[in-house]
Amino acid sequence: MKLCELIDEFLIYISGVRDLSENTVLGYKNDLEHLKIFLTPELDISTVTKENLKLCIGQLSKNHSSNASINRFIAAVRSLFAYAYKFGYLKENPALELKTVKLPKKVPRFMTSAEVETLCNQPEKNELLWASRDHALFEMLYSSGCRVSEITELCLSDFLNGYDRAVVTGKGDKQRIVYFSDEAKTALKAYLADRKKVLQENGTLGTTDRIFISQKGQPLSVRGVRYIISRYSGAEGTNHHVNPHAFRHTFATTMIGNGADVRLVQEMLGHSSISTTQRYTHVTTEKLIEIYNKAHPHG
């Protein structure tokens, strides 16, 4: 079997049989494109060796790819050849002993309470796009700790007890309940009135249950949310650029910093591992040390 044929079959398998998300499949596809470039698409997979794959990894390093990108590539290659071995296309798995590279520990980027308040108020003070929608979007991201994909997929039917909380579907199709602050609920109610008008004007009322829509009445995409945040945190807004995940980081840091149990925060964030949530305890400690050093006379 040719490498290009194996990759095509594998992508169909993870999409149709394993039912992985569109973004996940696209990620695999992009990483395996590198493999085709390094080894050539027509290569017979039975001739691929561990040394060939290590050379591919070395080439990524020479191209100044980040360690995270290299590890993602390794994971994709491992999965591809595990698939080939499982279904009898190979007698041995050449990717079995590939090792990932060590990643530097990164402190999650989060906003201070003043920064997040300023950003949340930007839509009403600086009407760049759709003020009521964008204000509600920011407040809901901050108060719930949702991933951007979870917010874009949130529907009217997902809410419980008015707008106090909602059921969201996270990674691995795992569902959890998230909660919204009074500020978020007030902003959401104001936006929903405008949302109805936009849907009526576009003749799309009743065509979508998604909460957040574009000004054309279509469901807002993850890319759309990124664009909105970049506008308000860019030169036209706060001039202090943040990415959408900063709202989630800020939620977690604020909760743990104010004494919330890390296990409860884990549940609210939808983390499968407690170690992922515990990053925020380190962030909080580092922030306290920084404040101490600045405030104490002998700091």
Side-chain angles (χ1 to χ4, degrees):
M1 176 180 275
K2 296 176 182 178
L3 179 62
C4 58
E5 294 172 339
L6 175 65
I7 290 174
D8 288 344
E9 185 176 311
F10 172 71
L11 293 174
I12 292 171
Y13 171 76
I14 63 174
S15 175
V17 178
R18 291 189 56 195
D19 197 27
L20 298 186
S21 72
E22 186 178 339
N23 286 340
T24 301
V25 175
L26 182 60
Y28 274 106
K29 182 179 179 181
N30 290 338
D31 286 322
L32 294 174
E33 282 298 319
H34 290 300
L35 187 66
K36 284 199 288 186
I37 292 169
F38 295 143
L39 298 182
T40 72
E42 304 300 315
L43 184 69
D44 188 326
I45 61 169
S46 64
T47 65
V48 178
T49 66
K50 178 176 67 176
E51 286 68 30
N52 293 148
L53 299 179
K54 284 185 175 180
L55 285 173
C56 294
I57 296 167
Q59 189 60 51
L60 283 174
S61 183
K62 285 182 181 179
N63 293 344
H64 304 292
S65 296
S66 68
N67 286 358
S69 296
I70 293 172
N71 283 346
R72 195 180 61 236
F73 171 79
I74 292 170
V77 170
R78 279 176 174 171
S79 297
L80 176 71
F81 283 98
Y83 169 85
Y85 178 74
K86 177 180 179 181
F87 288 97
Y89 297 132
L90 291 173
K91 292 182 179 179
E92 293 183 359
N93 183 350
L96 200 59
E97 296 179 18
L98 291 182
K99 294 181 180 179
T100 55
V101 295
K102 191 173 182 179
L103 292 173
K105 289 186 178 181
K106 288 186 177 180
V107 176
R109 169 71 176 93
F110 66 94
M111 295 176 276
T112 64
S113 56
E115 287 172 340
V116 74
E117 184 176 353
T118 299
L119 185 53
C120 284
N121 291 332
Q122 270 295 303
E124 295 185 338
K125 290 183 177 180
N126 187 5
E127 295 189 23
L128 294 173
L129 300 167
W130 181 353
S132 64
R133 177 199 63 187
D134 302 338
H135 183 212
L137 174 65
F138 292 176
E139 290 286 0
M140 291 175 71
L141 279 169
Y142 175 48
S143 70
S144 66
C146 280
R147 300 178 178 92
V148 178
S149 58
E150 294 166 350
I151 280 288
T152 57
E153 293 172 9
L154 190 62
C155 296
L156 288 166
S157 56
D158 293 327
F159 282 90
L160 306 169
N161 192 36
Y163 299 112
D164 285 339
R165 55 189 183 272
V167 177
V168 298
T169 303
K171 290 183 178 181
D173 289 332
K174 292 180 180 177
Q175 291 189 326
R176 71 181 191 282
I177 295 176
V178 296
Y179 303 88
F180 300 104
S181 65
D182 290 339
E183 291 87 347
K185 288 185 289 181
T186 300
L188 176 61
K189 290 174 183 176
Y191 158 63
L192 288 178
D194 288 343
R195 175 185 179 276
K196 184 176 181 180
K197 292 176 185 176
V198 168
L199 289 172
Q200 287 174 332
E201 290 169 1
N202 285 280
T204 53
L205 186 63
T207 61
T208 180
D209 192 36
R210 295 280 180 87
I211 290 291
F212 290 105
I213 60 171
S214 70
Q215 289 170 311
K216 293 182 179 180
Q218 300 300 316
L220 198 61
S221 65
V222 170
R223 182 178 293 181
V225 174
R226 292 185 188 279
Y227 173 74
I228 291 167
I229 294 173
S230 70
R231 286 290 299 274
Y232 287 106
S233 65
E236 300 168 284
T238 63
N239 202 25
H240 188 72
H241 180 74
V242 297
N243 63 47
H245 222 58
F247 283 98
R248 184 168 161 86
H249 292 324
T250 304
F251 166 84
T253 306
T254 302
M255 292 292 290
I256 291 175
N258 287 334
D261 185 276
V262 68
R263 291 283 181 184
L264 295 177
V265 177
Q266 176 192 4
E267 186 176 332
M268 287 186 275
L269 289 171
H271 285 159
S272 56
S273 171
I274 189 67
S275 62
T276 307
T277 316
Q278 284 174 331
R279 291 185 304 167
Y280 299 104
T281 63
H282 303 317
V283 171
T284 304
T285 302
E286 288 179 12
K287 193 65 180 175
L288 286 172
I289 293 170
E290 181 185 335
I291 292 170
Y292 171 81
N293 288 333
K294 286 181 179 179
H296 195 280
H298 292 178

